């Protein structure tokens, strides 16, 4: 069950990641730059002192464009034993082109689960699809956040 909390806003520049989202998993992600990643530790949810590592849902916009539902992973990706923390946003929209170097804005609206390693890549993909469904369903009751001033 997803946990809802006070909205938290994050902006950053889209950078190249590890190349696994689209290629290996079939689930493209927009990776936020190191400045955005470092700032996550200081973002407060109102209920918690800072965002913890895990999977979240919210809304995202690229360079002031339309606002879409999104699911975001914050952390170290234990499945791959990353040495760098990342913020990877999966926007629930099919974009025609890449948008590296563009500004990405994301509003964290709820928490889905802790990050963890899985028994296989297939199990990870299955869980990501479940996260996407859970996040999308939860956001149906929060559509007013698409009009948040943060996206203007």
């Amino acid at each position: 069950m997803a946990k809802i909390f006070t909205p938290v806003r994050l902006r950053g520049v889209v950078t190249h990641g590890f190349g696994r989202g689209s290629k290996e998993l079939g689930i493209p992600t927009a990776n936020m730059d190191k400045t955005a990643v470092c700032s996550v530790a200081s973002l407060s949810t109102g209920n918690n002192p800072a965002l913890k590592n895990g999977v979240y849902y919210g809304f995202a916009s690229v360079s002031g464009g339309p606002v879409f539902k999104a699911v975001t992973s914050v952390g170290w990706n234990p499945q791959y034993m990353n040495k760098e923390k990342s913020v990877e946003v999966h926007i629930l929209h099919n974009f025609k082109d890449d948008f590296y170097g563009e500004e990405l804005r994301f509003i964290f609206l709820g928490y889905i689960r802790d990050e963890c390693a899985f028994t296989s890549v297939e199990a990870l993909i299955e869980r990501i699809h479940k996260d996407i469904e859970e996040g999308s369903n939860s956001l149906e009751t929060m559509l007013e956040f698409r009009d948040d001033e943060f996206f203007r």
Side-chain angles (χ1 to χ4, degrees), residues 15-123:
T15 62
H16 289 272
F18 300 102
R20 296 185 289 243
S22 292
K23 294 178 183 106
E24 184 177 339
L25 304 175
I27 304 164
T29 59
N31 293 268
M32 294 186 115
D33 65 280
K34 290 182 189 217
T35 301
V37 173
C38 291
S39 72
V40 167
S42 65
L43 295 174
S44 173
T45 63
N47 318 22
N48 300 314
L51 290 175
K52 64 181 188 172
N53 294 341
V55 179
Y56 295 84
Y57 59 88
F59 288 101
S61 175
V62 178
S63 292
V67 178
F68 299 105
K69 293 177 179 178
V71 175
T72 299
S73 171
V74 175
W76 301 93
N77 295 321
Q79 182 74 23
Y80 296 99
M81 297 180 281
N82 287 359
K83 298 198 185 309
E84 292 183 29
K85 188 172 185 175
S86 65
V87 175
E88 301 179 40
V89 182
H90 173 68
I91 302 172
L92 280 66
H93 177 77
N94 292 322
F95 288 89
K96 184 176 138 189
D97 297 309
D98 289 334
F99 44 88
Y100 296 111
E102 300 290 328
E103 182 186 63
L104 175 63
R105 294 182 184 202
F106 181 78
I107 297 180
F108 293 85
L109 293 171
Y111 183 78
I112 297 174
R113 65 175 175 86
D114 291 342
E115 63 176 350
C116 61
F118 293 84
T119 57
S120 66
V121 170
E122 292 76 19

Side-chain angles (χ1 to χ4, degrees), residues 1-4 55 57 110-113 127 130 134 138:
M1 182 68 175
K3 177 182 174 186
I4 298 169
V55 179
Y57 59 88
Y111 183 78
I112 297 174
R113 65 175 175 86
R127 181 58 214 213
K130 184 176 177 183
E134 185 174 343
S138 295

